[in-house]
Amino acid sequence: MQDLRVSLVQGDTVWHDPAANRERYGDLIAPLAGQSDLVVLPETFTSGFSNEALASAEDMDGPTVRWIREQAARLGAVVTGSVQLRVGEGVYNRLLWATPEGGLSSYDKRHLFRMAREHERYAAGRDRLTVELKGWRVCPLVCYDLRFPVFIRNRFGVEAPGRFDYDLLLFVANWPAPRRYAWQTLLRARAIENLSCVAAVNRAGTDGNGIAYAGDSVALDFLGQPQLEFGEGVHVGTTTFSASALAAHRERFPAHLDADRFEVY
């Protein structure tokens, strides 16, 4: 593992306007060329969190997938964020992971937010995604997934011999301001209990339904301490996660050796 530069991009997403959002986020991330290894955009960054965006959902051959791949190549960094994408008969809240070499992986949000009827409109994913970057194992998830620690649980020697499932836990979100305390608390808990660093990006501003977002994007070390933290408004910033510091913490505090074994279906 090498040290990992991670950039958080907290933007005010334009309601239901993918072209405008591609331009807006493109402008925000342009200065990061050559300065970052991983650039993180919010959940549903082309539309905002909206059940009404179903009708205009793109497919995997559409302009947003092309855009995110182009951005990764131009920046020399992985670019990730989620969008509504139609696959067959269903629309998924799909996180895209585009590499500068042209690779593309995806994770479909497993836990759909029933309080906004997301589970009635969108298809649910099932399996976690783990990707590697500079020797780090990264597990990217989407918003409401944060509330489900069993699905998120980091194990040792299960996905990879002699390795943790992941070293960096990543969240993209549209998490409303009234529930910001839960967002802040659960992110820190996930870092501490999983002996993992955490990077989490939430959107800013107010959406077309009048819902306000406080931002609160954050990069946390394995103790849940912030290395980079935003408040409200539009912000872009980069922090570096230390591979040696993470390894040393796991060596001196090996709580994973006492963890319960289980399977997730």
Side-chain angles (χ1 to χ4, degrees):
M1 290 171 60
Q2 305 172 53
D3 289 351
L4 187 67
R5 299 171 298 174
V6 178
S7 299
L8 310 183
V9 183
Q10 179 175 292
D12 184 353
T13 304
V14 182
W15 192 242
H16 290 192
D17 194 337
N21 284 309
R22 289 191 293 269
E23 181 177 1
R24 174 170 291 189
Y25 282 104
D27 290 342
L28 286 174
I29 66 179
L32 297 173
Q35 305 301 312
S36 185
D37 302 307
L38 172 58
V39 176
V40 188
L41 306 174
E43 178 187 21
T44 55
F45 69 86
T46 58
S47 66
F49 185 74
S50 169
N51 287 331
E52 306 311 316
L54 284 165
S56 57
E58 300 173 24
D59 60 30
M60 291 295 287
D61 295 318
T64 297
V65 173
R66 291 196 299 273
W67 177 88
I68 201 169
R69 300 180 85 161
E70 290 167 357
Q71 297 302 311
R74 186 173 60 81
L75 299 180
V78 170
V79 180
T80 189
S82 89
V83 293
Q84 295 100 336
L85 286 170
R86 186 174 298 279
V87 181
E89 297 300 315
V91 175
Y92 292 86
N93 188 338
R94 174 166 288 188
L95 178 141
L96 300 171
W97 178 274
T99 72
E101 298 81 18
L104 184 69
S105 302
S106 63
Y107 161 73
D108 294 328
K109 185 178 182 182
R110 172 168 169 142
H111 301 93
L112 302 180
F113 191 58
R114 70 175 53 247
M115 282 65 82
R117 299 174 61 196
E118 186 183 20
H119 67 301
E120 296 177 5
R121 310 287 187 91
Y122 289 83
R126 175 178 173 177
D127 299 321
R128 287 192 331 200
L129 171 70
T130 305
V131 285
E132 292 213 16
L133 179 60
K134 297 186 72 174
W136 290 67
R137 293 176 59 81
V138 183
C139 178
L141 298 169
V142 180
C143 202
Y144 190 44
D145 288 328
L146 174 61
R147 291 182 178 268
F148 299 91
V150 174
F151 180 64
I152 295 170
R153 187 64 175 169
N154 203 3
R155 303 159 300 174
F156 186 83
V158 176
E159 289 189 8
R163 295 286 306 272
F164 284 85
D165 286 346
Y166 56 81
D167 308 299
L168 173 63
L169 187 59
L170 186 151
F171 293 94
V172 302
N174 276 208
W175 196 286
R179 294 189 289 277
R180 67 187 305 191
Y181 183 75
W183 166 258
Q184 295 166 330
T185 302
L186 294 175
L187 287 171
R188 285 154 177 77
R190 299 294 89 87
I192 295 165
E193 70 195 6
N194 289 302
L195 304 177
S196 170
C197 297
V198 169
V201 170
N202 190 27
R203 69 156 290 175
T206 300
D207 71 18
N209 288 324
I211 297 173
Y213 299 86
D216 296 322
S217 300
V218 68
L220 303 169
D221 70 8
F222 39 79
L223 296 175
Q225 296 288 344
Q227 293 188 190
L228 178 65
E229 190 170 23
F230 301 149
E232 297 181 359
V234 174
H235 299 279
V236 179
T238 302
T239 190
T240 300
F241 287 116
S242 168
S244 61
L246 176 60
H249 174 67
R250 289 170 166 177
E251 179 69 23
R252 66 176 173 262
F253 197 83
H256 61 284
L257 298 180
D258 301 312
D260 302 300
R261 294 192 175 274
F262 60 92
E263 294 182 359
V264 176
Y265 298 95

